[in-house]
Amino acid sequence: MNYSTALPDFIEMQRVSFCWFIAQGLNDELTMFSRIHDFSYNTEYRLFGQEYSLVKPVYTIVRAKKLAANYSVQLVIPLEVRNKKLNSVRYFGQFTIINLPLMTTTATFVINGCERVIVSQIIRSPGIYFEKNKNHRKRKQFKSQVLGHASKLGSFLPSGVPWIIPYDQPWKPWIIGKKLGYSKYNSNKDTKLDFYFYSLKSFKIYQKISKITNSPIKVQRIKLFLQWLKLNQKEFNFKNKLNLSELSFLLNYWNFIFKFIIKYQFLYKKNFEESYQIQESEFKTIFKTWNNQPQLNDSFSLKKIDQLTSNYEKKIQFYHNVIQQQFFDNLMLVPFITKEKKILNLESLANRQKQKKISLTLLTNESIKFAFYFSPSLKEVFKYRSPKKRKPKEAKIKQPILYLRSPSKIVQFKDDHQVLDSYKKKYDTKDFYTATLIPESGSWIRFGFQKNTKINRYQYPIRHQEDEVIIQIDKITQKPILYLLKEMGLTDWEICSNLKHADFFYFTKPFLTGSLTSKQPLPRFDLHSDYYKNISEFSHIFDARYYRLGKIGRFQINNRLNLKLNNRIYTITYEDIFAILDCLVTLSISKTTGDDIDHLKNRRVRSVGELLQNLFRVGFQRLVRKLGSQINKRESGQISSFNIIGATVREFFGSSQLSQYMDQTNPLSSLTHRRRISGLGPGGLDRDRISFAVRDIHPSHYGRICPIETPEGPNVGLIASLTTCARVNKLGFIETPFWRVINGKVIKTGNPIYLTADIEDFYKIAPADISTNSKNYLTQNLIPVRYKQDFITVSPFQVDFISISPIQVVSVATSLIPFFEHDDANRALMGSNMQRQSVPLMLSQKPIVGTGLENQIAIDSGMTINAQGAGIVHSVTADYIIVKEYSGRKLKYILQKYQRSNQETCINHRPIVWKGEKIKSGQILTDGPGITNNELALGQNVLVAYMPWQGYNFEDAILINERLVYEDVFTSIHIERYDIEIEQDDDVSEQITKNIPNLSFSEIQNLNDDGIVALGTFVKPGDILVGKIIAKNDSEQLPEAKLLRAIFGAKAKGVRDTSFRMPKGKYGRVVDRVTFNRKTKLAYKFEKIQVFIAQIRKIKVGDKIAGRHGNKGIISRILPRQDMPFLPDGTPVDIILNPLGVPSRMNVGQLYECLLGIAGHKLNRRFKILPFDEMYGPEVSRILINKKLRQASIENDEAWLFNPYSPGKMVLIDGRTGKEFENPITVGNAYMLKLIHLVDDKMHARATGPYSLITQQPLGGKAQHGGQRFGEMEVWALEGFGAAFTLKELLTIKSDDMQGRNETLNAIVKGQLIPKSGVPESFKVLLQELRSIGLDMSTYKIENYNLNQHYELEVDLIETYDSLEKTFPPTSNLDDISF
Amino acid sequence: MNNFYIKCLKSKKVESGSIYGQFVIKSLHPGQGITIGNLFRRVLLSDLGGTAITGVRIAGVRDEFSTIPGIREDILEILLNLKGIVLKSKTNDLKFGRLKIKGPAVVTANCIQLPSEVEIVNPNHYIATITTSNVLEIEFKIESGTGYKLAGQTFCKKSQDYLQIDAIFMPVQKVDFKIENIYDNSNDLTERLFLDIWTNGSMSPEEAVSSASRFIISFFSSLLENKLPQETKESENKTLSAPKNPHTNIAIEELHLSVRAYNCLKRAQINTIGDLLKYSPEKLQELKNFGRKSADEVFTTLKNKLGIVLSN
């Protein structure tokens, strides 16, 4: 036995939270807004928040409920209004800021007379979360390597070149890119142009290949590529056949040229721009000359190239010298310069001949040059930058080989390439993650990746785009994170040195460069200083007023990012951002899973107190904004502005999603409502876009949130219930208790240890149903434990903790189900939900088979009266109990008699103590609704048989014995309230009176002089509750009356009866009347009258009853007791359930329950069964029941109770025939509940009634007195039967044919033939819709001219209804029909 | 037919006044056991009558949802307690009982003063507790009947002063029968029927058996006599008799009455002259909006057009 019987106070969470608010939370808010200025800063409002006081409520709870008022206190704060200019105090005094609704002792609020509950909210905790982008398509490596279709290369071709893809002449398919392979340029047409294409293509292909990081594939691809080159040599028009080495040289050559050009140029440009402005013009002229070359494709001859090259050589030489002079000691430049030197040397060393040779082989066909020019990245470079690059390229022809082959060179230039290569390796295949920073107040901040096309030219030139990290504070506002950091004044060096993954943002590491000028690392992306010169709205994220992490946020962030910031720092810091960036990049490349947002360590509960605190903050912020926008002119001050806080509070209590009308059907429902945890509401989830993951059960829910109790339907999983033992800690995380286990011994001394979800993951925790011996040692050798959200088995010595109770996992309502471990989860869910719907019965019984929680639920539900102090009962009557406490004080407890609950059930207290009885503090003095003798008693124990009976229990229908009717077994009391408003304004002036014209005496005999029905009257449908008359105005009067009035003056005013009558199908006894008066100058006038009507509802056919295991059904028939099957001792069965309701629903618990029930009934004993009893051995539940049945059969000497051949089944005898049924039948005592879905509330019929104004179709629903919808499928049925006339009737006069239905009604009344139906409105709508899409539709009337001829007459259907004709739609009142 | 007899095997009082009795009927032919047993069971359960409190009037109380000062129970609770009182009565007519007690006291069933022919079976049945010195005064209405009568079902006006209680008249709580086969010396098969009867005490099991037998006998004896009821003949006569008045089926539209009178008549479902003739002049004037003028109009037109004078 590992459970402790003492459970925590079930509504502690709510009460503690509210007390915290009153004691601390309110204070915090008040101090935060202690000084408020107006617009001019002349007036200062000072709130002395520390000295607030609460004034005793005006209305007590009972009076507030009765008078539809609030149960609230006045929050009074000393307020000083000070004129700062004059330094004078304008106003000082105790100022009532708001009326704060007060929580009752049962954790409810009384707002407008009805009890409301503020449901706790579960929200994502403030902190930082990393998530993998879900909808981001993972970039396919392969796809990115090969350019898709050849046609995409079109842009690379000189314009005007024909571009044909011949189909008849298929290209030899190339292995890498199929698409590319099939399209080829028509080689027969123009070999020269052909070459552009192929060279371009080959270049592109190579480019893709070279990006592949995986080296074996790379080699393979290159080989393939070379093969391809060889294959297509013809098309390339190479003069000679290229051998492999030449090809590879070609490739390397390309590769290097690009790299070098860019790099060199960058450096060059930088230095050049900085110190040699003059040269630029010169440079530009060159550029121009180069650029002004006629069309590149054909006029660029070798000669010109030579000319240019020599030009460049000179230039480079010149610049080189300049640079050398200037930056000789610039380390950064050294490699480049030396390189440059070498190139130049090579050139000057008259290697030109050799070079030419090679270049001729390659470059005689000048087109290869164009390949470079057309490369988009290059294009840009050439467009804006120096033309000089032509030079090095040619010069370097030999160089790459040299450069690459020498290991020393490679080492020398390692840094240039290393960074790049490592970047590619590191980041190229990264996943995309997003970091979401949730502050306590303020919008969410997201950090994510985004493609940036503005790449620093340092980069490998061919790449067009690169991912960078952006920060996003709302849907639109986003910017690169580097901008933000620089904007805040951080230097590149600072950023770089603080980031672990600086190479994601920077090419170089700062410490590798020692020079002055390149002290800063080189950013990967182009950062225009314009973008971060000004401080943008992003800087708000460091401002506590806009973004506040709060205590929890700081705690969570420190935890997640391993930071050690002071936990009083409530704002975001740079350190946070650096850590976030590092973590984000690390995650992206390591591709580990992100944070689990559904884990309970990342979700916290916001209870009443905190919600109220937030509310106050919002209210005060509104106030500050309001005061700040106005100037205080008059002396009176804008103290009235403080109303805004009250308005905010009122709005929250009245209409917030979390402030809910309390479910008061029975004590259990009100208790669970207060323990409910909603994921919806402001700041929570939006119901429309919620993934399944949020609704799912999570391993961390164990012992915290019930996996069973949640509503069915759209809210499934979003609204949950706190488990029995869970509690909410100060930070708002849910904790659940465990016993410590050390060396296999359960340490049960002292209090259990409460663990939150994040801590729990690190321990091996055994479930509660592990058996221990008397010395608290675990007895099993292998113990299943939960560890890091997984199940493993370990030896007892490794167990760290053990759960304290098997019902720790489930909610209060679920824990009331005995044997629920034998039920399917879905049915257990229904069972726990249906218990909340059960109506308190007039006579309720405690369950024979319970779970032992009934007592505590009854105590904590707040529906009983609990003694406030110990003492002796002095007197007990139905209205009050007086307890004489030991202190000598006499305390009078007033009982609630027949009060209406929110769900129109009856709340009634019945004393259970006797005079002279000793009372302990907290002891229950009365029974409440659904509470009998200190225990929850929602239903009745009835004898149930599982057998079919004449098909009357087909599809879950239920047969009951009439005993349940006449013995009031399932009789409940319902109290309805009717609000009757008396309108009194300028137009209408209603009066309540007994003097109503044209009524017989019997109709008004129960009204008092004011015209209100007397207490204790039994009212039937149509009876007057409040007699009202209204003076007829002119338009309603007959013409002759008008004439009379005109002649004789205004005396002849008539009155009209507007009395409030009992609605159809409602009856009952008037138990209470409340009148609300309004004081006018002369006298009191009635404003509103509430009449309470109580009715006793016996169970009847159509009512819904259910067991606790989700076995629900509708009563189909009530059988006389002699017809019911009876037990071998003559007892007729009470309820017959369908046995087919069990196997498919898998709620076997009901069978266990009913069998143990009958055993308990026979033994006159009750059982408390805690679920999960398998810890005592296999099949313990079954063994227990067999044992108890056998015991009962022996003790009562009734052998039929236990038949060893079919245990639990009995031979039943048919009450009608007296014969035994063929097979033994399962019979038992089950605990059944009557649910609040009663036929009386649902039954409804309509002949005629109101119609919708727009569609002219009948309204729907009982409340509107609507009709039954005759839907699509019903129409099909009629169509299937060919019931044409019925269908026509339903679609015309019974629906929206206005004229038709009026005429039909008149015809029926007059007894004439029913006229032909007209055109329904919906047909007119159809016509108009067809017209609206441009169809010329018109309607014609066909009339016979004579026998053979007929003519057509166009009819305008829309106009046929003449509004002047004054035939209004018939109402339910026949009086208005004119004949 | 040999002589059957019923023998009481056991008879004892179970708790709270209910009485248990076991009977046996021997030497029945095979198959007769179930015929008789089931018949007995069904008749005992459904057709025996009893006496019960059907309504109460409590001083100073209008409805069942109120309380009386100084009394521990509320009215509804008292009513439910009263429902449990089992009465034994010699006659079947309406009787009244009375209860008047000044507190402080515990009120039980034997405090009720009843007419001599009525007896309380469970005198210790708890009704209420009076804590203060208030007076509890109740008047009971006691009726007899069979089956049960629910309080809410009757909407009659009379119920206003009496608070109605569900009355359960059924004296038999539970019946069980068992059949045993007996092989006698000549190896003939006979049956033995055991009847177990639990009553609520207002009737002993023996009485229950005998009254059940009486019910069955009277039922079958009436079948023996087989007197056809005369009502059917009368109704046949009725249908046969043709309408005497030839004007009965004439619609009232034919009279060309004024709109007011016409509307009134229509509203009162008077569609034909026949319907109209069912109304006496006084009754006609009770119709809504049907004043003397309209009545006069109707009479004159009837007289003038059809020559009918309304009488009664």
Side-chain angles (χ1 to χ4, degrees), chain B residues 76-138:
Chain B
L76 196 69
E77 237 177 314
I78 294 175
L79 294 186
L80 288 172
N81 286 340
L82 290 176
K83 208 173 148 185
I85 295 178
V86 182
L87 296 174
K88 199 167 167 180
S89 167
K90 284 162 193 157
T91 54
N92 282 345
D93 38 327
L94 181 70
K95 289 172 282 286
F96 292 95
R98 216 164 294 278
L99 181 143
K100 189 173 181 182
I101 284 185
K102 190 171 188 297
V106 174
V107 185
T108 53
N110 63 351
C111 304
I112 305 171
Q113 299 156 4
L114 289 169
S116 55
E117 62 266 36
V118 186
E119 197 183 310
I120 289 172
V121 174
N122 46 355
N124 291 329
H125 188 78
Y126 174 83
I127 295 173
T129 303
I130 311 173
T131 14
T132 58
S133 58
N134 285 25
V135 177
L136 176 68
E137 197 177 350
I138 309 178

Side-chain angles (χ1 to χ4, degrees), chain A residues 842-843 875-880 897-898 908-915 962 965-968 973 975 998 1002 1005-1006 1015-1020 1067 1069-1071 1094-1096 1098 1118 1121-1132 1162 1213-1220 1309-1311 1375 1377 1379, chain B residues 34 38 41-47 62-77 80 83 104 106 126 129-132 148 150-155 157 159-160 162-164 166-168 170-179 196 198 253 259 262-263 266-267 271 288-289:
Chain A
M842 204 160 77
L843 300 168
S875 88
V876 184
T877 74
D879 295 309
Y880 58 85
K897 299 308 286 184
Y898 300 105
N908 188 25
H909 287 154
R910 274 191 294 212
I912 54 167
V913 288
W914 292 88
K915 189 181 173 179
E962 65 180 353
V965 181
Y966 65 75
E967 281 193 359
D968 284 335
I973 301 168
I975 300 175
N998 302 325
S1002 63
Q1005 64 176 354
N1006 288 322
L1015 281 181
T1017 316
F1018 192 91
V1019 284
K1020 299 181 292 296
Y1067 62 93
R1069 220 178 257 283
V1070 180
V1071 289
Q1095 61 185 126
I1096 298 175
K1098 302 202 176 233
I1118 300 173
R1121 56 178 184 166
Q1122 64 268 21
D1123 287 349
M1124 271 283 178
F1126 59 97
L1127 292 178
D1129 72 340
T1131 323
K1162 290 286 176 188
I1213 303 145
D1214 192 343
R1216 294 163 301 171
T1217 61
K1219 281 183 180 167
E1220 290 161 357
V1309 169
K1310 285 178 183 164
D1375 291 19
I1377 298 167
F1379 294 101
Chain B
I34 196 165
N38 197 40
R41 181 176 188 270
R42 291 181 63 86
V43 167
L44 282 167
L45 284 176
S46 65
D47 294 314
R62 287 175 318 261
D63 61 271
E64 53 265 72
F65 303 104
S66 53
T67 54
I68 317 172
I71 289 174
R72 192 173 189 266
E73 279 75 22
D74 55 58
I75 304 296
L76 196 69
E77 237 177 314
L80 288 172
K83 208 173 148 185
V106 174
Y126 174 83
T129 303
I130 311 173
T131 14
T132 58
Y148 59 93
L150 297 183
Q153 290 172 344
T154 46
F155 280 115
K157 299 264 185 228
S159 67
Q160 280 197 329
Y162 275 97
L163 298 176
Q164 292 201 316
D166 298 335
I168 304 159
M170 300 175 287
V172 178
Q173 288 173 332
K174 210 159 85 168
V175 183
D176 186 24
F177 67 91
K178 278 189 183 64
I179 299 148
D196 300 82
W198 286 261
E253 278 85 356
V259 180
Y262 172 81
N263 283 346
K266 270 286 178 190
R267 207 179 295 125
N271 293 322
K288 204 178 168 189
N289 296 337

Side-chain angles (χ1 to χ4, degrees), chain A residues 1259-1279:
Chain A
L1259 293 177
K1262 191 189 178 194
Q1264 284 88 247
H1265 191 65
Q1268 283 306 310
R1269 179 181 158 83
F1270 200 82
E1272 220 179 331
M1273 294 174 74
E1274 288 80 3
V1275 168
W1276 299 340
L1278 288 192
E1279 285 169 352

Side-chain angles (χ1 to χ4, degrees), chain A residues 271-280 322-323 326-327:
Chain A
N271 293 315
F272 178 78
E273 279 180 357
E274 275 171 9
S275 39
Y276 294 93
Q277 294 290 333
I278 322 130
Q279 261 89 6
E280 197 176 306
V322 170
I323 289 164
Q326 204 65 27
F327 302 106

